[in-house]
Amino acid sequence: MNKQKWILKAQELGIQEFEIYQNLSYEKEVTWFNGTMDKFETSKVLGTYIRGIIDGNMSNMYLEQVDDDNCDYILHQLINQISIINSKEKDTIRQAENIEPIKKDTQWLTPSMDDVYKIMEQLEKKTLEYDERVIQVAHESWNEAKETISITNSKGIDLVDEDQLQYLAMSVVVQQGQEIKDYTEIEILPDLSQFKMDEFISRTVDKALLKLNSKSYPSMTSPVIFTSDAMRSLFSSFMGLFSGDLIHKGLSCLKGKENTQIFSKDITIIDNPRNLDALCVRSFDDEGCPTSKKTLVDQGVFKLALQSTKSANRLGLESTGNGFRSGSDIAVQPLNCCIMPQDHSFEQMCEQMNEGLVIESVTGLHAGIDFVSTNFSLQASGYSIKNGKRNQSISLITVAGNFMELMNDVEMIGNDLDWKYHTIACPSIYFKKCAISGE
């Protein structure tokens, strides 16, 4: 694509501001099942989005195929789209700024397919031999992904960012009597030759086995510990509370609460797309705005909302560098956002609680979340704690409460923050009480 040709032609046709965003993604997936390769898929996709502004009105288009010979025709279509827009809120495209590039120093070594096949064959075989209660390796896959993002516009922006990822995933199914449980583990592997297979198998199968012999739990209000995974799921569901767009629209209960205490003093929340501990880092967002580290909540006090260029303009503020694409639209989104950990080990929290529940996973997040009121009612599983130690595996329960109230009822915060492959992370948190519905 001759980007300068498109920009010059857009200006010639009266498009006052014009931008080209491209995402080139390459993916490879190999799945293994029942002793043989089940699937081998590769894809290479170039997505091109163009945005144009006339008199403050913006429209955008997605181009499946880019042909410079069709430039004039496509730009006229874009002009026609803009002509039917009459918005009170005037849009703008960002100007070029000084951006300090950031890149992880991870060395991704792409393995040969023969090496991948050997690992996957051995992994399935050794997993099935690990314990007689393992009845199936339901899923096993090797995945590679590369992504190149570029932004070029009529106001001087010309940016490129790249990212890469390799990981192995496996799901195991275990059975004891009539009870069947499963567990999925994912491991990021920059170098497949460094894969510690026995540790991975032990970690995956043991977590599945611990789910066996589960029971329900009496309905009560109980002290609870949300593990880091369960806490991440719950926190992610309410991350939109910090969206400047949703705050402006009145859909977030944080509207008008800047610089007020909203959570326990133990809660500090950071968003940092430049965090090198996380898997994905970005120097700029999908509008070309520099990214930065931001404190959203400082010791329980609400300090800052996340903003895209559009949401910030509405409020006379500056973008926080959180305008990321969701399909064809740019929306306010976090990247590498976390609740900051403290010094307590998970074992210390269990000992302190003495008796209560550990919630390991929650499901039904779409149906069980009321975003406006922040009430939640979710199916959950985990285990009970007795005398400070793990006791009985628990399933078939519902955990319910109000997120804002829960985050003001913190007893202890763990030290087990782990980014893994997530863009939102949390440590385990011990809450004084939460409603449990079971037996």
Side-chain angles (χ1 to χ4, degrees):
M1 183 182 193
N2 186 336
K3 296 181 181 180
Q4 289 306 313
K5 174 184 176 180
W6 285 71
I7 290 173
L8 291 172
K9 188 62 178 178
Q11 292 174 326
E12 180 184 314
L13 294 174
I15 300 176
Q16 295 154 351
E17 300 178 31
F18 183 71
E19 184 175 86
I20 301 167
Y21 174 97
Q22 289 190 309
N23 182 314
L24 177 61
S25 63
Y26 167 81
E27 296 182 8
K28 179 189 291 183
E29 181 181 20
V30 181
T31 62
W32 190 271
F33 183 74
N34 199 22
T36 186
M37 183 182 70
D38 184 51
K39 180 174 68 175
F40 181 97
E41 289 185 352
T42 62
S43 66
K44 186 176 182 180
V45 178
L46 175 64
T48 301
Y49 300 85
I50 60 173
R51 299 196 296 172
I53 295 177
I54 299 175
D55 296 332
N57 295 315
M58 177 188 291
S59 186
N60 64 82
M61 293 178 64
Y62 172 72
L63 309 180
E64 291 186 358
Q65 294 182 338
V66 179
D67 186 342
D68 288 343
D69 292 337
N70 290 332
C71 172
D72 191 275
Y73 171 73
I74 291 171
L75 291 176
H76 273 97
Q77 283 191 315
L78 182 63
I79 291 170
N80 288 336
Q81 287 184 192
I82 297 172
S83 68
I84 62 176
I85 298 172
N86 186 18
S87 175
K88 293 181 180 178
E89 296 178 349
K90 299 307 178 183
D91 287 301
T92 187
I93 287 174
R94 298 191 68 86
Q95 294 183 349
E97 301 174 66
N98 289 327
I99 293 178
E100 182 182 349
I102 186 166
K103 190 174 181 63
K104 291 177 68 91
D105 58 4
T106 305
Q107 298 296 313
W108 299 95
L109 302 178
T110 305
S112 69
M113 283 299 97
D114 284 342
D115 288 340
V116 172
Y117 299 151
K118 289 176 184 178
I119 289 289
M120 298 182 82
E121 183 178 26
Q122 293 172 13
L123 181 60
E124 182 183 53
K125 183 174 183 296
K126 294 183 75 171
T127 300
L128 291 170
E129 293 172 349
Y130 181 83
D131 190 288
E132 63 183 8
R133 290 168 290 180
V134 178
I135 60 172
Q136 188 180 63
V137 176
H139 175 80
E140 187 183 349
S141 68
W142 170 255
N143 301 266
E144 300 171 15
K146 296 179 182 179
E147 182 181 50
T148 301
I149 292 169
S150 64
I151 306 174
T152 306
N153 72 20
S154 59
K155 300 175 77 172
I157 284 182
D158 190 8
L159 298 168
V160 177
D161 218 346
E162 296 179 335
D163 204 1
Q164 190 169 350
L165 173 66
Q166 294 177 174
Y167 66 92
L168 186 70
M170 182 173 74
S171 297
V172 298
V173 182
V174 298
Q175 181 174 12
Q176 184 167 299
Q178 298 300 310
E179 188 180 22
I180 296 175
K181 298 292 183 181
D182 63 357
Y183 183 77
T184 300
E185 186 67 73
I186 295 175
E187 184 161 337
I188 307 299
L189 288 166
D191 182 355
L192 184 58
S193 69
Q194 301 300 308
F195 178 47
K196 297 178 180 179
M197 183 180 295
D198 291 342
E199 291 182 13
F200 181 79
I201 292 171
S202 175
R203 185 166 69 249
T204 308
V205 178
D206 288 351
K207 287 183 178 179
L209 294 174
L210 283 171
K211 293 183 174 184
L212 294 170
N213 300 312
S214 64
K215 297 181 180 180
S216 189
Y217 196 76
S219 296
M220 65 172 66
T221 298
S222 169
V224 296
I225 296 173
F226 279 75
T227 66
S228 57
D229 283 343
M231 194 64 223
R232 177 188 55 80
S233 296
L234 183 65
F235 180 54
S236 298
S237 298
F238 289 104
M239 192 63 231
L241 293 174
F242 300 97
S243 164
D245 183 45
L246 297 183
I247 290 174
H248 171 74
K249 293 176 180 177
L251 298 176
S252 167
C253 63
L254 299 186
K255 186 171 185 177
K257 293 188 178 180
E258 293 84 355
N259 297 314
T260 62
Q261 194 85 28
I262 61 167
F263 295 149
S264 160
K265 291 182 178 180
D266 290 317
I267 299 293
T268 293
I269 299 174
I270 301 290
D271 181 85
N272 185 12
R274 293 174 169 265
N275 183 357
L276 293 175
D277 292 331
L279 180 63
C280 175
V281 297
R282 288 288 300 273
S283 305
F284 54 87
D285 68 7
D286 289 341
E287 299 180 290
C289 179
T291 55
S292 63
K293 179 180 179 180
K294 302 163 293 289
T295 300
L296 308 185
V297 174
D298 186 10
Q299 296 182 22
V301 177
F302 175 39
K303 290 294 186 179
L304 183 71
L306 301 177
Q307 305 285 355
S308 65
T309 300
K310 184 171 184 175
S311 68
N313 285 345
R314 286 170 173 165
L315 303 170
L317 303 173
E318 295 294 326
S319 171
T320 60
N322 289 87
F324 293 102
R325 285 196 175 270
S326 178
S328 60
D329 296 324
I330 292 176
V332 179
Q333 296 182 45
L335 182 59
N336 302 339
C337 187
C338 72
I339 296 175
M340 295 297 290
Q342 294 185 1
D343 297 330
H344 308 291
S345 70
F346 190 81
E347 291 73 21
Q348 287 173 329
M349 289 195 293
C350 291
E351 290 173 4
Q352 177 72 18
M353 184 167 66
N354 192 39
E355 291 194 15
L357 271 182
V358 170
I359 304 296
E360 291 187 291
S361 67
V362 290
T363 59
L365 293 165
H366 293 291
I369 295 288
D370 185 332
F371 181 80
V372 176
S373 69
T374 77
N375 290 331
F376 63 90
S377 179
L378 305 169
Q379 296 177 18
S381 62
Y383 55 91
S384 61
I385 295 293
K386 188 173 183 179
N387 297 323
K389 304 293 182 183
R390 181 177 182 131
N391 182 38
Q392 173 70 51
S393 294
I394 301 296
S395 61
L396 302 175
I397 62 170
T398 298
V399 58
N402 178 277
F403 181 73
M404 299 300 293
E405 294 176 3
L406 186 71
M407 296 294 279
N408 274 286
D409 210 17
V410 175
E411 184 70 22
M412 299 172 75
I413 296 181
N415 61 4
D416 54 352
L417 181 72
D418 186 354
W419 286 101
K420 294 182 180 177
Y421 46 87
H422 304 297
T423 59
I424 295 177
C426 295
S428 299
I429 301 182
Y430 167 21
F431 296 102
K432 296 174 185 177
K433 61 182 181 299
C434 199
I436 305 297
S437 176
E439 294 176 345

